Amino acid sequence: MRAELGSLLNHQLESLMAEFKENLLDWLRDAHAMEQQAETMLKGQASRIEHYPVLKARIQEHIQETIGQRELLEGCIKRLGGSPSTIKDVMGKMAAFGQAVGGMTASDEIVKGAMAGYVFEHFEIASYTALIAAAKTAGDAETARVCEQILAQEEAMADWLAAHLPNVTEEFMVRDATPGVEAKK
Ligand code: MG
Ligand code: FE
């Protein structure tokens, strides 16, 4: 009787952990699509900026971080026996393209872009905060460690944008008020 109870509990525990792993894998795929979207968006922004070299340099630095994050996520997904969802990745790229095109029409695109970047970094912060909890719940210490490492980069980027948004805004306004000087990008 005791042996049967043990086997029942074991079986229930196994299916519980399998369900946890399923959630974790799904959210890792979401994060992977998010990083693909981030890469497309950041590359679009960086390629268009002409008169704001400090912002451009920080975005270029974050593009390299973003590529590393995507690779780290791929490692976690493969370790859990999954593969990144190509459908989500394609949708993410299309959404990023739409945002990039939308941003280009604004006469104050440098300010709108910096604001959008700040918002996007916070979406990433929320995503990795949830992922860390999911990884811990599923007993995946390695994924939790990787997501904590990525989270620190997203927080640093969000902090940098918060600190520099006032400068970018002021520079834009001064350029905009100067005849013959382009301000928007
Ligand atoms: Mg990221
Ligand atoms: Fe980021």
Side-chain angles (χ1 to χ4, degrees):
M1 196 61 198
R2 190 163 291 187
E4 277 169 31
L5 183 62
S7 131
L8 177 72
L9 288 174
N10 237 334
H11 185 77
Q12 297 224 322
L13 187 64
E14 268 171 38
S15 74
L16 186 67
M17 291 315 277
E19 282 194 52
F20 286 168
K21 202 178 111 174
E22 198 73 11
N23 283 136
L24 179 60
L25 250 177
D26 208 37
W27 289 330
L28 282 168
R29 286 195 196 94
D30 288 342
H32 186 268
M34 175 180 75
E35 294 304 347
Q36 292 232 325
Q37 183 179 355
E39 187 181 334
T40 306
M41 237 166 48
L42 292 168
K43 281 182 173 167
Q45 278 186 336
S47 71
R48 289 184 54 77
I49 296 174
E50 287 175 24
H51 311 297
Y52 302 83
V54 177
L55 177 61
K56 186 177 177 131
R58 185 62 179 97
I59 290 174
Q60 279 166 338
E61 189 187 338
H62 198 55
I63 289 170
Q64 294 314 309
E65 291 174 339
T66 299
I67 292 167
Q69 293 168 358
R70 174 173 51 72
E71 289 167 353
L72 284 171
L73 291 169
E74 281 164 12
C76 291
I77 291 167
K78 280 178 193 154
R79 202 163 31 74
L80 286 164
S83 61
S85 158
T86 43
I87 293 164
K88 275 182 181 171
D89 287 350
V90 169
M91 301 254 291
K93 275 183 186 165
M94 282 170 62
F97 179 72
Q99 283 166 13
V101 170
M104 286 192 306
T105 59
S107 62
D108 57 350
E109 72 167 76
I110 193 73
V111 178
K112 290 287 196 293
M115 286 168 62
Y118 180 80
V119 171
F120 194 88
E121 292 308 324
H122 280 84
F123 180 71
E124 292 187 297
I125 288 168
S127 300
Y128 288 110
T129 300
L131 257 176
I132 290 162
K136 285 179 178 170
T137 303
D140 185 347
E142 175 61 11
T143 294
R145 189 195 62 77
V146 165
C147 291
E148 273 162 5
Q149 184 188 330
I150 297 175
L151 176 63
Q153 291 180 330
E154 311 299 19
E155 284 172 340
M157 184 61 179
D159 288 350
W160 192 95
L161 286 169
H164 289 78
L165 190 52
N167 306 343
V168 170
T169 307
E170 189 189 317
E171 265 180 69
F172 167 81
M173 289 172 78
V174 171
R175 292 188 73 91
D176 195 42
T178 311
V181 166
E182 187 188 50
K184 68 176 279 184
K185 56 191 171 84

